[in-house]
């Protein structure tokens, strides 16, 4: 039996279903499912993703049998619709759309009204009795096909249309007559001839295969590749192609097209949300060409709109539509994003998919659906993207701050942002790469702007609605967005916009509030966010299911308090060197480095001890009853010294030492490869007085807070240990000092001494280290560097090319390498627990806040992860998901 490349759906039955997304793509699988449910879906068929994969693996050729299967499916479609593809008397027109297994809104190509030519357009006009409608469809088809398939810029067609509108004195397409459309079409065809040297294609079969190739081709366009990279979508998935009989929303005032969400994708409120346009086709809504109308009367009244809602303009169809989308939400058990068309009073469903939503909305929807009994709490947790919680954990506009409103649009994607305005996606990328916060300002965005939208802190558009390209993509990215700010007159050429009598130019600062749809002049003060009951409910459920503890990386009281507020269960990494860089103590550190002997070093360290002790007192109080893992001094000493002639002179004067001595010491301490040099425990062994001072400060602080009724739980961590002898010596030194302080003070404090595993040798000999070490914390930043032989600070030149060429799947400094670094961790876990079954194990690198890395930690049986304070909720949720997935 030959391989099936084509799957049909029509009239209440289908060859596929919703479970076949890998083969049919999300759109094709859901069209098949809706058809099987008996919903009003225009008949059609899907060319599988496997055909696309074959296309790219075989020099862009179609697989054997595909063309014959398409012709059979097309003949069946003609039979179902009682129309003929290419027939002049009763033409079948089709749409050709992409559809990958993962939703990629706007990233790939679509062609509508395919099958029209100079003859079939006359047949469509005669059949419908509406010549203006038929010509409107034809001009749309020429524009879309020429752009998507033939590569002719759509801007040229827009210029032609604008010229005709100016000539006729009209502003909207619906005011253009049939006779005027004839002139527009003639000019469109002349442009194709002028640009390409040949006429616009007239054979419907040629049109169809050209469109199929274009959709396959769009899988590898720049914006699709960028989107896949941003969302970790594999390149070898390919896209399906959906060929579907056209239904027309542009057949007069009983026809319409729209986009809807079964719940609000910005807030999560359980209200039907979306927009529609009377007498329009689908691209009019998402492209922002016309300002859409609301779906419900309630939404219209809330937004102060005058034009009637769909509920008021088409009440019978709206009632059927509401019932249909409620059915879809219950069936899929998730919020649905649907596209629909009404053709002369008859409803058709063109697409349904699980809706993209903001983090705030995702929380509310997950909690609400669990409370409604539609899903379980475990499913609610698994529905959420841990990384997207970042949207909720950062500041918002201070309601008390003064502000000057310069424009108002639609609240398309919530959140607040401030930055320099730019008018092109390329400028957004350029300024962001230079470290600037930028706001991308456009008349309307298009898929070509995706790289600039990603680089920008927020987006503002003058046109488009709540379901425009800008709104949908911004919500998916977690970027604040104000769309449809029509009072802004934007000139991309001049790099400026005007609003309310003021002009703002490239680089000027504005602030926007995507939750209110407002744009303000200048920079406005931000405040910390307030967390909803839904956030706390999700965190409560997460804590019920997770088994990994979540600690934080913190060395300042502010960071420690923030982390506790986010639910941290202790400090997994306190970097003491960060404390040394404070202005009031760096001079004493330099005095210690410049000392000629141990006595001089001890004298300088005595000045630092009370400062260190004060630091630990605060941290122990904040973390009362929770572990505080303190890493002793790690970086090489030369990092504390100046290096430029100007800085050397200033420091020498402040320290009252000769410049020559400072310069000589700096040169003595310089290293060819400091990452592998005189740092970490090597400092503590050669200059033991440094670690002795730190350990003394830790335990004196612990005694002080214990006397005040607090419960300090210090864990002393020695960095960069490689040998059993190093570990034994360091543990003995630490315990001798600790016990001496505790005995002198008459206080008992429980504590542990361990090491940070940062070297492959340490992982391989973990059983030897565990003879004296009571815990291992995997320093995955350095362990990744030493395993790969890559300097994190110097890898930027080749990491991206490596990822693009498929050598690395991900940046190993962002997401833990499970095969190499992960294997070392697993070896260390096994060997460490063989020697010491109760040894405490965790990670404390940047990977501690990465969901994929947390899943690995769960898999190998670590006890905890430690991450930056703002990543704590992310880690709590990711840990719960890892535990649920492991069952």
């Amino acid at each position: 039996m030959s391989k099936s490349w084509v799957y049909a759906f029509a009239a209440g039955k289908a060859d596929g279903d919703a479970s076949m997304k890998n083969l049919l793509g999300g759109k094709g699988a859901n069209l098949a499912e809706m058809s099987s449910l008996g919903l009003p879906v225009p008949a059609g068929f899907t060319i599988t993703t496997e055909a696309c994969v074959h296309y790219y693996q075989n020099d862009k050729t179609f697989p054997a049998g595909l063309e014959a299967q398409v012709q059979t499916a097309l003949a069946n479609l003609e039979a179902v619709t009682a129309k003929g593809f290419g027939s002049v008397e009763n033409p079948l027109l089709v749409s050709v759309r992409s559809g990958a297994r993962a939703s990629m809104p706007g990233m790939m190509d679509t062609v509508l009204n395919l099958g029209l030519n100079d003859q079939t357009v006359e047949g469509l006009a005669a059949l419908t009795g509406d010549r203006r409608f038929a010509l409107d469809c034809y001009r749309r088809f020429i524009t879309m096909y020429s752009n998507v398939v033939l590569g002719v810029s759509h801007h040229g067609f827009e210029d032609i249309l604008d010229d005709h509108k100016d000539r006729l004195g009209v502003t909207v397409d619906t005011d253009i007559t049939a006779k005027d459309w004839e002139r527009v079409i003639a000019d469109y065809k002349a442009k194709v001839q002028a640009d390409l040297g040949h006429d616009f294609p007239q054979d419907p079969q040629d049109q169809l295969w050209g469109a199929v190739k274009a959709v396959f081709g769009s899988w590898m366009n720049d914006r699709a590749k960028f989107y896949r990279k941003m969302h970790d979508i594999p390149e070898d998935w390919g896209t399906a192609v959906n060929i579907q009989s056209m239904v027309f929303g542009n057949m007069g005032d009983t026809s319409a097209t729209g986009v809807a969400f079964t719940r609000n994708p910005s807030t999560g409120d359980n209200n039907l949300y979306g927009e529609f346009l009377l007498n329009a086709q689908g691209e009019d809504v998402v492209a922002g060409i016309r300002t859409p109308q609301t779906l419900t009367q309630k939404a219209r009244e809330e937004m102060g709109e005058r034009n009637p809602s769909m509920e008021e303009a088409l009440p019978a169809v709206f009632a059927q539509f509401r019932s249909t989308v409620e059915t879809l939400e219950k069936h899929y058990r998730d919020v649905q994003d649907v596209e629909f068309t009404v053709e002369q009073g008859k409803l058709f469903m063109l697409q349904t998919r699980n809706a993209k939503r903001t983090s705030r909305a995702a929380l509310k929807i997950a909690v609400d659906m669990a409370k409604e009994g539609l899903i379980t709490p475990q499913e609610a947790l698994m529905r959420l993207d841990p990384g997207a919680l970042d949207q909720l954990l950062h500041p918002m506009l201070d309601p008390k701050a003064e502000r000057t409103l310069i424009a108002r649009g639609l609240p398309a994607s919530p959140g607040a942002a401030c930055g320099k305005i730019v008018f092109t996606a390329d400028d957004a990328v350029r300024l962001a790469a230079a470290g600037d916060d930028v706001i991308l300002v456009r008349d309307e965005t298009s898929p070509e702007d995706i790289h600039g939208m990603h680089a920008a802190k927020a987006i503002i558009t003058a046109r488009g609605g709540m379901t425009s390209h800008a709104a949908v993509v911004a919500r998916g990215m977690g970027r604040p967005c104000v769309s449809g700010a029509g009072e802004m007159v934007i000139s991309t050429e001049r790099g400026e916009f005007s609003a309310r009598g003021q002009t703002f130019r490239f680089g000027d600062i504005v602030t926007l509030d995507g939750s209110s749809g407002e744009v303000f002049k200048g920079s406005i003060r931000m405040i910390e966010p307030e967390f909803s009951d839904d956030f706390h409910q999700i965190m409560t459920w997460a804590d019920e299911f997770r088994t990994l503890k979540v600690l934080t990386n913190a060395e300042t009281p502010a960071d420690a308090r923030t982390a506790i507020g986010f639910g941290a269960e202790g400090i997994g990494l306190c970097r003491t060197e960060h404390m040394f860089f404070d202005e009031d103590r760096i001079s004493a550190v330099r005095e210690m480095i410049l000392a000629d002997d141990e006595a001089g070093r001890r004298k300088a360290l005595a000045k630092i001890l009370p400062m260190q002790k004060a630091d630990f007192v605060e941290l122990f109080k904040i973390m009362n009853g929770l572990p505080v893992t303190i890493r002793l001094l790690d970086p090489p000493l030369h990092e504390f010294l100046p290096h430029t002639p100007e800085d050397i002179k200033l420091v020498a004067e402040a320290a009252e030492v000769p410049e020559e001595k400072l310069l000589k010491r700096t040169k003595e301490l310089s290293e060819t490869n400091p990452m592998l040099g005189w740092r970490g425990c090597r400092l503590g062994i050669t200059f033991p007085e440094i670690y002795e001072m730190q350990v003394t400060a830790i335990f004196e602080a612990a005694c002080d807070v214990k006397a005040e009724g607090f419960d300090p739980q210090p864990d002393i961590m020695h960095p960069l240990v490689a040998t059993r002898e190093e570990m034994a010596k360091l543990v003995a030194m630490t315990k001798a000092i600790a016990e001496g302080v505790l005995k002198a003070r008459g206080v008992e404090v429980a504590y542990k001494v361990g090491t940070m595993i940062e070297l492959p040798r340490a992982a391989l000999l973990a059983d030897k280290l565990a003879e004296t070490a009571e815990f291992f914390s995997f320093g995955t930043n350095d362990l990744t560097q030493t395993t790969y032989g890559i300097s994190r600070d110097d890898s930027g030149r080749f990491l991206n090319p490596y990822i693009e060429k498929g050598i690395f799947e991900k940046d190993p400094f962002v997401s833990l390498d499970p095969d190499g670094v992960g294997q070392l961790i697993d070896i260390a876990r096994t060997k460490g627990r063989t020697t010491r079954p109760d040894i405490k194990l965790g990670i404390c690198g940047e990977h501690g806040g990465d969901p994929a890395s947390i899943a690995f930690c769960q898999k190998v049986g670590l006890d905890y992860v430690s991450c930056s304070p703002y990543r704590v909720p992310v880690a709590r949720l990711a840990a719960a998901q890892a535990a649920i997935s492991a069952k």
Side-chain angles (χ1 to χ4, degrees), residues 348-359:
F348 292 94
M349 303 302 294
L350 305 184
Q351 173 173 292
T352 192
R353 60 188 173 195
N354 292 341
K356 292 191 178 298
R357 62 209 76 173
T358 65
S359 290

Side-chain angles (χ1 to χ4, degrees), residues 468-490:
S468 65
H469 175 268
V472 171
V473 174
R475 284 195 294 267
M477 288 183 176
R479 300 290 188 276
C481 177
V482 173
S483 65
E487 59 188 310
M488 292 173 57
V489 179
I490 299 170

Side-chain angles (χ1 to χ4, degrees), residues 79-353:
V80 169
T81 59
K83 297 178 180 180
F85 190 59
S87 166
V88 175
E89 293 77 21
N90 189 11
L92 168 65
L93 306 184
V94 297
S95 62
V96 181
R97 301 173 188 260
S98 62
R101 67 169 87 170
S103 176
M104 296 173 58
M107 296 303 107
M108 292 179 290
D109 290 330
T110 293
V111 178
L112 304 180
N113 305 307
L114 189 143
L116 282 173
N117 57 27
D118 293 348
Q119 288 75 46
T120 57
V121 70
E122 300 299 341
L124 182 64
L127 192 68
T128 60
D130 190 342
R131 182 170 177 74
R132 188 208 164 278
F133 153 74
L135 292 168
D136 180 32
C137 292
Y138 194 20
R139 66 92 186 181
R140 291 171 183 270
F141 173 55
I142 294 172
T143 301
M144 193 173 278
Y145 193 91
S146 298
N147 178 233
V148 169
V149 181
L150 304 180
V152 180
S153 171
H154 64 89
H155 295 297
F157 297 107
E158 291 171 5
D159 291 342
I160 292 169
L161 182 56
D162 286 342
D163 289 344
H164 280 279
K165 285 180 177 177
D166 291 342
R167 175 180 62 81
L168 296 167
V170 301
T171 56
V172 293
D173 298 354
T174 49
D175 290 338
I176 297 177
T177 65
K179 192 164 187 62
D180 293 322
W181 278 132
E182 288 179 359
R183 296 178 65 177
V184 172
I185 288 167
D187 287 348
Y188 278 7
K189 289 160 68 178
K191 176 170 178 57
V192 173
Q193 171 62 241
D195 282 14
L196 302 179
H198 61 74
D199 290 336
F200 184 80
Q202 295 290 305
D203 184 338
Q205 287 288 343
D206 290 344
Q207 294 173 358
L208 177 63
W209 289 105
V212 171
K213 284 184 178 179
V215 172
F216 279 170
S218 70
W219 176 250
M220 295 300 290
N221 69 32
D222 288 342
R223 63 181 187 267
K225 288 194 284 189
F226 184 87
Y227 188 92
R228 286 200 296 273
K229 180 180 176 182
M230 191 167 61
H231 293 278
D232 291 327
I233 297 171
E235 190 173 278
D236 60 5
W237 279 4
T239 181
V241 181
N242 298 288
I243 298 167
Q244 199 170 9
S245 56
M246 280 294 300
V247 289
F248 301 98
N250 58 330
M251 292 187 73
D253 289 341
T254 59
S255 300
T257 189
V259 176
F261 298 82
T262 53
R263 303 189 190 209
N264 188 312
S266 288
T267 65
D269 290 340
N270 191 1
N271 294 314
L272 187 59
Y273 174 98
E275 299 166 320
F276 86 112
L277 279 171
L278 288 167
N279 196 17
Q281 285 200 337
E283 74 269 21
D284 297 340
V285 178
V286 296
I289 295 167
R290 287 166 55 190
T291 300
Q293 295 154 240
T294 61
L295 291 177
T296 65
Q297 180 180 342
K298 178 184 176 185
R300 179 185 64 75
E301 291 170 350
E302 287 176 351
M303 298 181 70
E305 299 286 343
R306 285 197 289 266
N307 290 329
S309 64
M310 181 180 173
E311 186 176 14
E312 295 162 302
L314 302 169
V317 179
F318 178 79
Q320 181 191 3
F321 174 71
R322 185 189 285 278
S323 173
T324 299
V325 296
E326 287 174 355
T327 297
L328 285 171
E329 182 175 282
K330 287 189 177 77
H331 180 75
Y332 284 99
R333 300 169 62 247
D334 201 355
V335 180
Q336 294 302 291
D337 168 3
V338 302
E339 294 177 17
F340 66 94
T341 287
V342 180
E343 180 181 288
Q344 294 184 321
K346 185 175 181 182
L347 175 68
F348 292 94
M349 303 302 294
L350 305 184
Q351 173 173 292
T352 192
R353 60 188 173 195

Side-chain angles (χ1 to χ4, degrees), residues 471-534:
V472 171
V473 174
R475 284 195 294 267
M477 288 183 176
R479 300 290 188 276
C481 177
V482 173
S483 65
E487 59 188 310
M488 292 173 57
V489 179
I490 299 170
S491 172
T492 302
E493 295 74 22
R494 292 195 299 273
E496 65 182 34
F497 74 82
S498 299
R500 303 194 180 192
Q502 300 181 74
T503 299
F504 297 84
R505 296 180 174 83
F506 178 96
D508 287 347
I509 302 291
V510 300
T511 301
L512 77 155
D513 186 346
S515 302
S516 66
E518 295 172 314
V519 183
F520 304 99
K521 182 178 180 178
S523 176
I524 296 176
R525 186 170 63 250
M526 306 275 185
I527 60 171
E528 292 301 312
E530 296 178 1
F531 299 110
S532 66
D533 291 343
D534 298 318

Side-chain angles (χ1 to χ4, degrees), residues 664-727:
K664 179 174 179 287
R665 188 62 171 146
T666 300
K667 288 180 178 178
E668 287 173 353
L669 292 174
S670 67
E671 296 176 295
T672 304
N673 189 350
M675 193 196 86
L676 300 178
W678 189 23
R679 54 163 284 217
C681 71
R682 298 158 193 172
L683 277 174
I685 287 174
T686 52
F687 284 177
E689 56 272 15
I690 297 176
Y691 280 11
E692 289 171 9
M693 178 277 292
Q694 290 192 289
V695 175
T696 301
I698 290 167
F699 283 94
E700 286 192 357
C703 290
D704 285 357
V705 300
K706 189 77 180 268
E708 294 181 46
F710 292 93
D711 179 18
Q713 294 192 13
D715 286 350
I716 317 304
M717 182 158 67
H718 292 279
L720 214 70
V721 170
T723 72
R724 172 166 59 181
E725 291 73 23
E726 283 174 326
M727 191 76 254

Side-chain angles (χ1 to χ4, degrees), residues 509-590:
I509 302 291
V510 300
T511 301
L512 77 155
D513 186 346
S515 302
S516 66
E518 295 172 314
V519 183
F520 304 99
K521 182 178 180 178
S523 176
I524 296 176
R525 186 170 63 250
M526 306 275 185
I527 60 171
E528 292 301 312
E530 296 178 1
F531 299 110
S532 66
D533 291 343
D534 298 318
F535 176 87
H536 292 299
Q537 180 63 76
I538 287 293
M539 290 295 104
T540 298
W541 284 338
D543 292 344
E544 287 175 10
F545 292 107
R546 68 181 168 89
T547 55
L548 279 169
K549 288 188 176 296
V550 177
L551 283 67
T552 190
N553 303 337
E555 45 276 336
T556 68
D559 280 351
R561 290 190 189 96
T562 297
I564 284 289
F566 286 143
E569 297 168 286
I571 292 177
L573 175 61
C574 171
R575 307 172 182 91
T576 54
E577 63 271 8
H578 287 194
M579 301 166 171
F580 281 23
F581 282 104
D582 281 2
E583 198 65 39
D584 62 346
R585 60 189 76 177
I586 187 70
S587 58
V589 175
R590 287 169 174 162

Side-chain angles (χ1 to χ4, degrees), residues 590 642 644-656 659 662:
R590 287 169 174 162
T644 67
E646 295 81 6
D647 287 343
I648 287 173
K649 182 177 181 180
L650 288 172
V651 170
E653 289 175 358
E656 297 181 348
E659 284 183 46
L662 183 56

